[in-house]
Every structure is written in C-alpha cells, then in structure tokens.
Amino acid sequence: MEYLVNVVIPPLRQAFTYFVPEEWEKMVDTGYQVEVPLGKRQAQGFVISKFPLSSYQSNDEYDVKSLAELPLEYRSFDPKQLPFFEWIAEYYGDSLSNVLDVAIPKYAPPKLKRLIHLVDNCDTSSLRGLRQKEIVSLLQERKEPVTSSELSKRFKGAHGTLKSLESRGIISISTEEIKNHHLSNSPAPSWAKSTIELNDQQLKVVPSLHAALHQQAHSTFLLHGVTGSGKTEVYLDAILHAQSLGKSSLLIVPEIALTPQLVDRFRARLGSELALLHSGLSTRARWDSWRALLEGRCHVAIGARSGIFAPIQNLGLILVDEEHDHSFKQSEGLRYNARDLAVMRGKFENAVVILGSATPSLETLSNALKKKYTYLSLDKRHTDSPETEIEIVDLTKVKRSEMISPNISPRLHEELTKTLTKKEQAFILYNKRGFASYLQCEKCEEVMTCPNCSVTFTFHQHRNQLLCHYCNLQLLPPEFCPACLSLDLDPNIEPPGKLTPRGSGTEKVFDELCSLFPEAKIDRLDRDTANNLQEYRDVLDRVRAGETDILVGTQMIAKGHDLPGVTFVGVVDCDVGLHFPDFRASERAFQLLTQVAGRAGRGDKPGKVILQTRVPEHSSIVMTKTKNFLGFAKQELSERQELYYPPFSKMLRIVCASQDQNIAFQTLQAFRKHSESFLEKHGYHIMLLGPTPTPIERVKTQWRFHMLFKAGSIQQLNHLLRELRSLKLKTRKVRVTYDLDPYEML
Ligand code: ADP
Ligand code: ZN
Ligand code: ZN
C-alpha cells in the first residue's frame, strides 16, 4: 500500500501533504521528523498524520511531492501526546505547528562509538610488534568488545594498528549508537539523605495523595506549605509511591530552582531514573533526556517550564513546585503557562497533579476554595527553630535627617550591624524595577489610583498627565492630594499634602552599604551581575561557603534558597512593586515579601526581618508580618471579584507595537471595532478595555499600545481570539502579540 503523510513545517501554520517513499513506508508515522521539499528549498517538519493514498481526496491537482530525508530513525514525539498539543493550540489560538516547534527540543544527531571485536578463532600467531600483542591480549582478557576511544587513550598510535589488525581478519569493527550519554550515574553527595522518616504533619497529607495515585484517575491537589515545611519530601514520597504502582512522575520547577543541590537531593533518592530538561543543558544532553523518556528508559523527569511537554511514558503524577512563580508563563511566542498546562495534561493522562507553594497563586487558591482542587497544608517548618520575627519600619515616621543613608533607616542599620557582629549573614532586597513613576501625597502617602480599575495611575512627566493604562482615563495631575482635601479640614490649620512623583529609584543601595560597612564582604545578585544560571549559582555558593556577609539583590534573592547561615533579611523599599499598574501588584508584593522573609533563620539560629515602607497599613505588608496568607488571599479575592479580574474573569491582552504611533493605535482600533460586531453577532459578553498606551510606552523605538478583554466564558474568549488571529487587520508595519491569561501588563 502507498501512504501519504501530513506534515507541519514551522513557522508555517498549515499542514502540507507528502508522499512516503517505499523504503520508509513501514517506519515513518505520526511523531517523526522529516525533511521535505518546500518551494525551492528543503525544510524540516513533523508528521502529524499518515493515511493510505487511496483515501486521499484533493480538489487541487497539484502533484504531491515525496519526503526528502529522514534525519532520525525514530519518533520525536509520542502520538499519544497529540491531543494535548492540539488542545494547547486551540486554547491559545495558535497553530499545532507552532506548538510542536516550541514543545520539541532540537534534536542531536546520533553519537556513535566504534567497537573493536576480537574475531573468533583468529590466527594470532602472526602478530607483529608489541602494540599489536598488547591490544589483542587486552581484547582476550576483556572477553567483550572494547571501544576504539578507550584503545586510543591507552595505546599511542592505536588507530593504525587497528587498521592493520582488521585487514588481516584478527579484529572486526562495528559502530553502535551511544544512548544515555548524559544520564550521569555519579553517586549523589553524602549530605543528600538517601532515606528519611516523614514527620507527623507530612504523614497527615500523604494518605490522600497515595489514595489518589491508586485510583489512577485525574485529580489536582494544592499543597500549601510554609517555606521549609518539607514539601520537597512530600513530592519525593509521592514519586516513590507512583513508582511502586509502576507509574512515572514529572516535576517542574522554576528554572532558577534547578540547582545541582535540588537535583542531587532527587538523585540520592531515585538513582539514575532521573532525566533533566531545561535550557541550561546542551542540545545533546537535552535531546538524550527527551529520548530516554520517549523510549521509557527513565521514569522521573525534572524540568523547567518546557519540561511540561516531556514525552514521559506511563505518566501517573505531575508536580509543580512554587506553582505561583511567574516564570512558568512563557513570555514570548507561544505564551503558555506550564502550571496551567500541568493540570490539563493531568486530565489527558489520568494523572494526579500536585501544585505546591508557600504562597499559592490566587487562581490556584480559588480553585481549592471551590473544591476543584483538594487543599493540603503543612503549616510548620520541619525544624523547630524559633519563629522569625518580622518588623515594619514606617519610613514616613523617619525624618530625612535621621536616615543613616538615603535608603537605610536607623533600625535597618542597627540590625545589620548586629548581624555582622554575630558573624551571621544578611540578605538585602531592593526591588528596583521602578521605572514607571506614580504620584504620591507627601503628607498622607496616598497614591493616585484610577477609580475604574484600582491600578495606580502612571505619571507622564513630559505631558504632565496622569494616565490609567487599563481604561485610558486621563487626568491633569491635581495640585493637592484629593484624599487630604476630602477630609475637609481648614486649610489654614491643616493644609492638604502636595503630590510628588516617586518610583524611579536608582541602584544605590549597594554603594550605600559599602560605605556604611567598609569591612564587610558585600555581594550583589541581579540581572546585571548574574547573566546565566552558572553566575547565579556562583553568587549563592559564595553565600553558602560563608564568603559573603551581605547579599544585595532583586527578587532573584527571594527564591527557594536554603541557606542556613542567613539570619537577617532587610527589604529596602516594599512599595515600588506595590504601586505597579498591574492588578496583581498586591499579590506579587505579598508573595515576594513572604518568600524573601522565608530566607531568614532556616538554620537553628532565629531569623529577623525588617520591612521598610511608606504604607505600613497596606494588606500585603501587614499580612506578611502576621504570616496570614489566607487572610490576605481572601481580602484580595474579594477585590478581584468586585472589579472582575482573574480568577473571576478570563483575560486576554493584545499588544501592538510599531515605529509609527498611529499605526499601532489604529490597528487596535480595528480590532476593537471588529470585536464589537463579532460579540454582537454571537451574543457574547466580553468587556473591552482600550486601546491605551502600555505603561512602558516606547520600547526600542517602538510605540506600544494594548487592549484588554475580560470574559466570563473562556469558550467565548477563545472564539474571539481565534477570530482576531485569523483576520488580516494588520499591516507589515505593526507587530501584534496575543497573550491569553497575561501576567505581563507593562
Ligand atoms: P520545602 O520544600 O517546603 O521548602 P524541604 O522539603 O526543602 O521544604 O525541607 C526543608 C528541610 O527540612 C530540608 O533540609 C529537608 O531535608 C528537611 N526535612 C523535611 N522533612 C524532613 C523529615 N521528615 N525528616 C528529616 N528532614 C526533613
Ligand atoms: Zn494626602
Ligand atoms: Zn482605569
């Protein structure tokens, strides 16, 4: 029988049909990578279906070309994954072609080794010279083939000798593919415990996980455990339990958490079962992991965001650590969220999903409150070190002349001095993402906020304007603070406050600390000092080794590190992130503050935290101090509900960028017009906001505008998204970005 295949060729969106040459007829099938003729060139693609020629129906008479080449003699993905990939394309309004392009790593061609065999009953009497005799006697001793690379290492000039032995029929040479090239079997270091006994609170949560695994049906759990409570141990227990049932597990973690320490901890418990998938690996190592999973040679995979696509066989358990982390959201191209995909994949594969975090996202928490997910909690740290004390320093009560340096208050200075005297370590967080400025009252500290959207107004100095980047409301900045004025006090006795621009802070804390503590070893961790994972690890390794006294950094210092020497954490300015024009600003701030506070006192010495702020009553700050996650979440959820933000609505953001301000704006206007008639035609209810300039209006000479869509029904929103994507409303001069479930609002 003759066959045809449908092939997608990224970045082209549609599929093309090709004829399968007879020699590949039995082999090539869904999941293979192929090279195909495309116009005048040759392109790479993925086979997404195969069918007999007899069933081919086509209106156009163009003649079907043949596949040109087969770079790999095995599949690149498992056909069983196809429904999941198709779902992703459908959900994000993208093409299957693009999904496969993103999901499947670049392949590495097979790596071969040459094996030297001693020919049975060969005549060894004619051996000449020492080298030949040595090689043959080694082969006789081993009784099995030896690689040519080993022989070349042992014997200088082995290459020529082997040739001569082969020509005389004494040895034969074969080639074999090296698999498992990367799958290191090196033993885990001794500090990584190979067994532990679960503690009482862990023992309380594992039975329901075991029960779910036994059922082999889909269910999702939220494991809410304070930092250091032993979530990772619960993951390990669940993985081992899945293994005992013959099921594989997939763990995804934020990229930055993929340190050797984490991997060692898993290796100590799981042995060589482990495959790693993340962007820090070489193409070959990544491809080897991918293939080992595809062929069922590994049963546990640990990966960053893209690990969610791993072709793991017999999947029974998917774990997402730090599920609230925004790095699970891909920020370009196919803007998927790996945490959301984890839950969906669990549905497709009847797998149990565990989402773990000390500060769960409100999306996940609300699913738990609605009982869609099962809520499990670990509310104590594993060690019984004393509770970390969190203190708020109200900067409005500190006079400028009292400040030790522009950013360091007397209390912060005092605690830092104490920490250094005790020879302990400190983390100083300075969240310097403060480029968008806002107006704040000098007196009552009220920040100017949009009445419609409850996001901070962005202050545009050059046009002296306050602008809401969600709904486009524009105001002339008032001279006096409206909050002060509303108190209706006599201006002669109690004058209202003036508004001042704030927020565009400079990177000065490091310098200030260096001059305040000239003896201390101070290090920095931010995007400028750590460009890659290795530099990032080096900075943290220096902290672990006790070589650093104070580490100053951005939110990079807040993530998951277990550094027992750190007893003090200071936050220079809690407020910058708080006043971001983003409806998740409070949630982000709470997560960041709670996570960074969790870095203090993880060893046996007590921890201390100081939060400097101008809004000491803000719930993100107060509830960080009182460690009241649920209290914070419930209050924030009710505000979200009132303003119809996720998780109470589904959101879509469309950004247009162009050199020409008008084109960017008009393209979105056209989207808006078309959306309005589309909604009317289908009777859909979707709220349209904008177009407005984005908070960062101009990036790399491109003017940026955006529109937001809020919908109650994801089906309606998907339908609209696909409709808008299929339109030819844009010209070459504008770049359009579609972002469903957006996290980025700038
Ligand atoms: P989390 O992932 O919640 O931050 P971890 O699982 O990393 O917490 O646990 C924190 C520390 O406590 C780790 O060093 C871990 O080895 C240890 N630990 C957790 N549970 C146990 C246990 N049952 N027995 C011994 N050590 C434990
Ligand atoms: Zn005021
Ligand atoms: Zn607004």
Side-chain angles (χ1 to χ4, degrees):
M1 204 179 329
E2 292 173 309
Y3 285 99
L4 296 174
V5 283
N6 281 333
V7 177
V8 290
I9 306 163
L12 303 176
R13 295 174 70 90
Q14 78 269 37
F16 298 84
T17 304
Y18 290 92
F19 184 73
V20 185
E22 203 182 332
E23 49 183 318
W24 296 332
E25 219 172 76
K26 292 223 168 63
M27 179 159 53
V28 171
D29 206 338
T30 304
Y32 274 76
Q33 281 191 56
V34 288
E35 291 211 2
V36 297
L38 184 75
K40 288 207 179 94
R41 64 189 178 103
Q42 200 155 303
Q44 282 210 355
F46 299 97
V47 175
I48 55 165
S49 60
K50 179 182 183 181
F51 50 95
L53 181 61
S54 54
S55 68
Y56 182 57
Q57 288 170 333
S58 172
N59 299 332
D60 37 43
E61 284 289 301
Y62 86 106
D63 71 302
V64 176
K65 292 188 182 143
S66 284
L67 298 178
E69 243 159 289
L70 203 57
L72 296 171
E73 298 196 334
Y74 53 87
R75 284 193 164 95
S76 286
F77 67 88
D78 187 337
K80 281 194 295 237
Q81 291 182 276
L82 209 52
F84 176 56
F85 292 148
E86 281 167 340
W87 181 88
I88 297 170
E90 179 86 1
Y91 182 79
Y92 291 104
D94 210 318
S95 64
L96 180 60
S97 174
N98 196 23
V99 173
L100 293 175
D101 192 36
V102 169
I104 295 162
K106 200 166 147 13
Y107 72 81
K111 197 175 172 79
L112 302 174
K113 60 181 171 195
R114 291 181 358 125
L115 288 174
I116 314 300
H117 311 252
L118 192 63
V119 173
D120 288 343
N121 307 320
C122 60
D123 175 18
T124 53
S125 62
S126 65
L127 290 177
R128 282 171 253 150
L130 184 60
R131 180 96 341 127
Q132 294 195 354
K133 286 182 188 146
E134 280 173 338
I135 289 179
V136 169
S137 71
L138 181 85
L139 288 168
Q140 281 167 335
E141 248 169 64
R142 288 282 178 90
K143 295 195 173 66
E144 60 178 28
V146 176
T147 62
S148 70
S149 66
E150 181 185 341
L151 293 176
S152 303
K153 261 184 227 147
R154 288 187 166 218
F155 307 106
K156 258 211 182 116
H159 190 70
T161 316
L162 290 175
K163 260 199 178 151
S164 137
L165 288 171
E166 186 188 20
S167 70
R168 282 185 292 136
I170 295 171
I171 60 165
S172 65
I173 301 177
S174 68
T175 52
E176 193 176 285
E177 194 184 340
I178 309 175
K179 291 182 183 177
N180 292 356
H181 182 57
H182 74 288
L183 298 169
S184 137
N185 292 318
S186 57
S190 53
W191 62 260
K193 307 180 191 97
S194 58
T195 54
I196 57 128
E197 300 262 320
L198 293 179
N199 63 32
D200 286 349
Q201 69 169 356
Q202 288 163 335
L203 285 171
K204 275 201 198 111
V205 304
V206 294
S208 51
L209 296 173
H210 290 187
L213 287 166
H214 272 277
Q215 289 201 337
Q216 311 211 344
H218 168 66
S219 57
T220 302
F221 292 85
L222 163 58
L223 178 62
H224 176 206
V226 300
T227 52
S229 60
K231 292 185 290 296
T232 312
E233 296 300 338
V234 174
Y235 302 155
L236 276 161
D237 175 84
I239 291 170
L240 289 167
H241 197 80
Q243 231 170 29
S244 74
L245 298 166
K247 289 288 189 176
S248 310
S249 303
L250 169 62
L251 167 66
I252 60 168
V253 300
E255 178 103 39
I256 218 86
L258 263 173
T259 55
Q261 285 95 331
L262 178 95
V263 175
D264 284 340
R265 228 171 129 184
F266 279 82
R267 188 172 291 132
R269 224 63 73 72
L270 302 165
S272 56
E273 286 275 307
L274 212 58
L276 290 183
L277 288 163
H278 62 91
S279 62
L281 298 171
S282 67
T283 305
R284 166 159 311 280
R286 220 166 156 183
W287 184 252
D288 279 355
S289 285
W290 181 270
R291 190 172 166 202
L293 292 166
L294 193 62
E295 294 175 356
R297 283 179 277 124
C298 282
H299 304 285
V300 180
I302 304 187
R305 181 173 60 218
S306 64
I308 196 57
F309 303 114
I312 191 164
Q313 301 296 305
N314 219 359
L315 184 60
L317 175 64
I318 306 173
L319 307 122
V320 183
D321 190 27
E322 311 285 4
E323 69 84 30
H324 66 278
D325 197 286
H326 291 188
S327 74
F328 288 129
K329 172 84 178 177
Q330 168 90 309
S331 57
E332 56 191 26
L334 176 70
R335 292 169 173 251
Y336 65 93
N337 184 323
R339 189 262 326 273
D340 298 343
L341 293 189
V343 175
M344 206 54 212
R345 188 160 179 198
K347 283 188 190 157
F348 275 100
E349 309 223 18
N350 287 324
V352 172
V353 179
I354 304 176
L355 308 177
S357 174
T359 51
S361 64
L362 293 182
E363 283 80 0
T364 297
L365 182 75
S366 98
N367 281 322
L369 295 174
K370 282 189 275 185
K371 303 270 188 316
K372 269 169 80 178
Y373 300 168
T374 309
Y375 180 80
L376 302 173
S377 94
L378 300 172
D379 47 23
K380 290 194 297 288
R381 277 194 179 177
H382 169 68
T383 52
D384 32 41
S385 52
E387 281 238 356
T388 299
E389 190 201 331
I390 303 180
E391 176 182 332
I392 296 175
V393 170
D394 181 354
L395 290 178
T396 66
K397 301 252 161 69
V398 186
K399 291 205 195 80
R400 199 164 289 180
S401 58
E402 291 168 356
M403 291 291 279
I404 306 292
S405 70
N407 285 295
I408 310 291
S409 68
R411 278 296 294 136
L412 184 51
H413 185 253
E414 200 177 320
E415 288 297 330
L416 264 173
T417 313
K418 261 197 227 163
T419 310
L420 295 177
T421 320
K422 284 190 280 182
K423 301 249 175 294
E424 294 171 3
Q425 294 168 300
F427 270 14
I428 299 294
L429 175 77
Y430 184 51
N431 200 14
K432 57 161 192 169
R433 301 179 300 172
F435 49 82
S437 63
Y438 52 92
L439 284 188
Q440 188 167 31
C441 173
E442 283 175 351
K443 197 163 166 205
C444 76
E445 308 292 336
E446 186 78 17
V447 172
M448 291 292 292
T449 306
C450 172
N452 303 330
C453 308
S454 108
V455 299
T456 305
F457 271 124
T458 303
F459 176 56
H460 291 260
Q461 204 142 20
H462 61 280
R463 35 180 153 120
N464 191 34
Q465 185 189 59
L466 285 172
L467 179 64
C468 171
H469 286 283
Y470 280 24
C471 73
N472 211 17
L473 182 64
Q474 298 163 19
L475 288 185
L476 198 64
E479 193 176 345
F480 293 105
C481 166
C484 287
L485 287 172
S486 72
L487 296 176
D488 222 9
L489 302 169
D490 182 344
N492 293 320
I493 304 161
E494 189 83 32
K498 277 213 154 108
L499 295 165
T500 350
R502 285 235 168 85
S504 35
T506 45
E507 192 26 291
K508 277 184 65 221
V509 179
F510 180 77
D511 292 345
E512 285 175 34
L513 289 171
C514 287
S515 50
L516 290 174
F517 302 100
E519 308 288 295
K521 281 164 287 173
I522 306 178
D523 208 347
R524 246 176 75 191
L525 182 64
D526 54 38
R527 246 173 252 152
D528 305 327
T529 61
N531 286 311
N532 57 44
L533 216 50
Q534 190 52 49
E535 285 168 337
Y536 169 83
R537 286 170 185 167
D538 291 345
V539 173
L540 292 171
D541 282 346
R542 287 199 290 273
V543 176
R544 187 178 293 278
E547 289 163 26
T548 305
D549 299 319
I550 305 177
L551 180 66
V552 184
T554 56
Q555 77 274 12
M556 285 173 103
I557 67 169
K559 311 235 166 158
H561 327 298
D562 193 13
L563 297 162
V566 178
T567 56
F568 178 68
V569 168
V571 181
V572 169
D573 184 355
C574 299
D575 308 352
V576 179
L578 265 183
H579 302 317
F580 247 43
D582 182 339
F583 71 91
R584 286 196 184 87
S586 298
E587 182 185 13
R588 281 184 202 231
F590 178 83
Q591 285 167 348
L592 178 64
L593 295 176
T594 301
Q595 295 281 350
V596 79
R599 299 311 116 214
R602 294 174 72 90
D604 37 22
K605 294 183 213 96
K608 169 83 191 173
V609 177
I610 284 200
L611 307 175
Q612 294 191 152
T613 174
R614 295 176 176 278
V615 284
E617 305 301 325
H618 194 289
S619 65
S620 298
I621 293 165
V622 173
M623 309 252 196
T624 296
K625 178 180 158 67
T626 56
K627 302 178 182 138
N628 185 358
F629 169 76
L630 285 180
F632 170 78
K634 285 190 176 147
Q635 179 180 332
E636 187 64 20
L637 278 172
S638 82
E639 276 171 34
R640 296 261 184 104
Q641 182 161 31
E642 214 165 286
L643 292 157
Y644 201 43
Y645 284 128
F648 299 95
S649 64
K650 277 281 180 179
M651 215 169 188
L652 167 68
R653 178 181 188 234
I654 302 183
V655 183
C656 282
S658 170
Q659 297 280 358
D660 184 329
Q661 210 170 350
N662 288 327
I663 292 180
F665 179 75
Q666 280 155 9
T667 307
L668 279 173
Q669 275 293 13
F671 273 89
R672 180 167 180 129
K673 262 196 133 154
H674 192 88
S675 301
E676 278 164 355
S677 56
F678 182 83
L679 297 183
E680 173 139 348
K681 182 170 129 205
H682 292 277
Y684 286 174
H685 295 285
I686 296 177
M687 200 187 276
L688 310 180
L689 300 165
T692 84
T694 57
I696 316 173
E697 281 182 83
R698 214 160 169 228
V699 177
K700 294 177 192 153
T701 75
Q702 301 262 322
W703 292 95
R704 299 165 75 249
F705 286 78
H706 70 180
M707 255 191 91
L708 297 173
F709 301 72
K710 292 197 233 171
S713 149
I714 183 63
Q715 284 79 14
Q716 294 184 5
L717 193 60
N718 279 145
H719 193 185
L720 176 63
L721 169 59
R722 271 175 276 128
E723 168 79 10
L724 293 178
R725 281 193 103 137
S726 68
L727 293 176
K728 299 274 173 278
L729 288 178
K730 59 169 262 192
T731 63
R732 279 163 166 272
K733 290 191 176 132
V734 62
R735 235 189 68 150
V736 184
T737 308
Y738 304 87
D739 194 356
L740 187 62
D741 308 324
Y743 278 77
E744 186 92 44
M745 291 291 171
L746 300 176

